[in-house]
Amino acid sequence: MTTRSTPGANPGPREGSGSSAERRGLGRTFANVFTANLASSLGDGIARTASPLLAARLTDDPVLIAGIGAVAMLPWLFFALPAGILVDRMDRRQALALAAGVRTLLAVALVVLVAMNALTIWWLYLVIFVYGVCETLYDGAIRAVVPSVVSKQNLPRANARIEGAELVVQNFAAAPLTSALFAVAVLIPIGGLVAAFGLAALLAALLPAVASGRQFHAAVATGEVAEVVPFRRQLADGWHFIMGNRMLRTLWFVSIPVAILFSASGATLVLFVLDTLAIPEAAFGLFLLSGAVGGMLGSVVASRLARRFGLGPVMAAMNLLAGILVLLTGLFPVPIAAIILFALGASTTTIWNVLMMSFRQAIIPGRLLGRVHGTWRTLLWGTMPIGSLLGGTLALIDLTVPWIVGGAGITVLGLIFYRFLMTLPNPEDIDNGDAPPPMTGANPVVPAA
């Protein structure tokens, strides 16, 4: 795997950013993937809004409430690697449908517990944990599907559309409606989970064959019989690939402490909003809506900024700015300032996520996407429960302290790794040996020697 630019150097802005290739649509296949993901995003939005509100009704202990975030992320530590192997071994459409199907059953169980008045914080922990296990499979599959249906040049556009749509559905639609309906009757938004994930499972099963990921297997391309590699041997494939690539390795080690600090800062968000900012429970979703507005702005400008300034410089700037915004949120805990800072912070985070995912999808061969993604998430998201517990502990001092500590730490890391992030190349300047998707009409990429 090589880049088509000088190794380690950022190629900078791309000429011809307004080319016909950029103006063309992303294709019908991507539209199908996009639609299927919308249904799952609706369920995610309902779940992520209802979970902390349910927890706040069951307990007012900040450590137990912070535990919601810890339990949600804990599956990434234990199941991201096995899920990544499954994503690479099975039809990725089936992986999406399976994950959505199990989450449908979990939603039914939650409806029963609430209806019987039997829900406790510990039952909620269990439901969220199993939900997180399913998310490791779904997340790996949907991220692996995108580079199989769009070209590398269009990865930032495709990821920006997915990210933007998730923000719209989860925050503009799910969050305010869930929080408002939650105040009326808890069963209404929870019942919506059943419908959302049921629809997601159906739409995933109906995706076209190109979304399966089978085309990335060498045996399929050559007609040979595939070698059956033992499951235990595949556990190390993602680790070896990341460790063997300087840029991915360094980026991974940058991202882990940043993720922990972000997790710490937002661990008691619901208490920060309800108690410190004195925003009523019914308006909690509206507060999250400010983040959706900022995130939408980020999704719109992410690919444009990358084309204008280069992926690396934009990622470096967003990482540093995100830390500053988190710090300011803790220093100025008043509603208007918090809303503005939350929106700006969501914008920087969305831009970072879009470009980070595009870079990884471009540099990782399609046949390894599930395993490398699983390894990446294992330590990145698997260590975030540490941040959640840290944030809950710091919140015992004051609910602003997690934001101040987290923001200061992210800012320092942003300064330390600024020069490295500046060197990251654009996706289209990376050759991972994969041929472009058939619908792009591009000539096959010849793997570098």
Side-chain angles (χ1 to χ4, degrees):
M1 173 198 343
T2 62
T3 62
R4 296 189 192 113
S5 57
T6 303
N10 175 65
R14 297 291 297 171
E15 295 296 332
S17 59
S19 65
S20 60
E22 284 294 322
R23 291 194 297 267
R24 285 200 299 267
L26 296 173
R28 181 179 300 175
T29 304
F30 174 76
N32 293 337
V33 173
F34 178 84
T35 304
N37 192 56
L38 278 182
S40 179
S41 297
L42 176 61
D44 286 336
I46 296 172
R48 289 171 186 171
T49 305
S51 295
L53 291 175
L54 279 171
R57 285 196 173 189
L58 296 171
T59 179
D60 58 0
D61 187 329
V63 175
L64 287 177
I65 290 178
I68 292 292
V71 170
M73 302 309 300
L74 196 59
W76 291 96
L77 186 60
F78 300 107
F79 296 97
L81 273 173
I85 296 174
L86 287 176
V87 167
D88 287 339
R89 295 180 71 164
M90 67 187 297
D91 187 318
R92 288 166 181 171
R93 297 169 298 176
Q94 295 175 4
L96 292 171
L98 175 62
V102 174
R103 288 194 283 187
T104 303
L105 297 178
L106 285 174
V108 172
L110 193 58
V111 167
V112 172
L113 287 171
V114 172
M116 296 177 61
N117 199 29
L119 184 66
T120 66
I121 190 67
W122 308 112
W123 274 117
L124 185 60
Y125 277 7
L126 178 61
V127 170
I128 290 173
F129 180 81
V130 180
Y131 176 95
V133 174
C134 295
E135 190 175 18
T136 63
L137 181 61
Y138 184 90
D139 183 76
I142 196 66
R143 302 307 179 189
V145 162
V146 174
S148 70
V149 300
V150 299
S151 65
K152 290 178 183 176
Q153 187 177 10
N154 282 324
L155 282 175
R157 289 180 63 204
N159 286 311
R161 290 191 183 183
I162 288 177
E163 192 85 13
E166 288 178 353
L167 285 166
V168 169
V169 172
Q170 293 177 11
N171 297 284
F172 283 93
L177 284 175
T178 299
S179 59
L181 292 174
F182 192 91
V184 177
V186 177
L187 282 175
I188 299 176
I190 297 177
L193 285 172
V194 180
F197 286 127
L199 179 60
L202 175 63
L203 292 176
L206 295 176
L207 288 175
V210 71
S212 68
R214 300 289 189 184
Q215 67 272 29
F216 291 125
H217 294 275
V220 173
T222 62
E224 299 175 358
V225 177
E227 177 189 359
V228 179
V229 180
F231 196 91
R232 64 181 182 277
R233 281 177 51 191
Q234 295 185 52
L235 287 172
D237 287 346
W239 169 267
H240 291 321
F241 188 86
I242 293 174
M243 291 298 102
N245 184 286
R246 183 190 63 83
M247 287 186 293
L248 273 181
R249 182 175 65 247
T250 307
L251 191 56
W252 197 30
F253 291 142
V254 173
S255 301
I256 290 171
V258 169
I260 291 174
L261 291 169
F262 262 117
S263 180
S265 65
T268 52
L269 173 65
V270 64
L271 293 181
F272 178 76
V273 173
L274 299 180
D275 297 344
T276 302
L277 301 182
I279 293 176
E281 182 185 79
F284 179 65
L286 293 177
F287 176 85
L288 298 181
L289 198 61
S290 66
V293 172
M296 276 298 300
L297 175 62
S299 70
V300 169
V301 303
S303 62
R304 292 182 174 92
L305 290 174
R307 290 199 306 271
R308 176 66 179 84
F309 300 105
L311 178 142
V314 175
M315 288 186 66
M318 293 304 105
N319 190 45
L320 179 59
L321 182 56
I324 295 173
L325 292 171
V326 171
L327 176 60
L328 291 176
T329 301
L331 293 176
F332 299 97
V334 293
I336 296 300
I339 289 171
I340 294 173
L341 291 169
F342 195 68
L344 293 175
S347 182
T348 61
T349 301
T350 299
I351 294 171
W352 168 273
N353 288 341
V354 166
L355 300 184
M356 166 76 87
M357 182 56 63
S358 301
F359 175 78
R360 295 211 318 267
Q361 288 169 338
I363 204 170
I364 302 167
R367 69 185 186 279
L368 291 172
L369 270 169
R371 278 163 284 178
V372 178
H373 184 77
T375 302
W376 187 281
R377 292 291 205 222
T378 295
L379 281 187
L380 181 63
W381 286 14
T383 54
M384 287 175 70
I386 298 174
S388 295
L389 295 177
L390 173 63
T393 303
L394 292 173
L396 294 173
I397 302 172
D398 189 87
L399 290 171
T400 62
V401 174
W403 296 89
I404 295 171
V405 173
I410 296 168
T411 302
V412 170
L413 289 169
L415 291 170
I416 292 173
F417 291 100
Y418 192 89
R419 290 185 63 184
F420 161 73
L421 292 173
M422 287 281 292
T423 67
L424 296 178
N426 296 316
E428 62 267 31
D429 295 309
I430 301 172
D431 181 6
N432 65 359
D434 287 340
M439 66 288 299
T440 65
N443 294 323
V445 177
V446 178

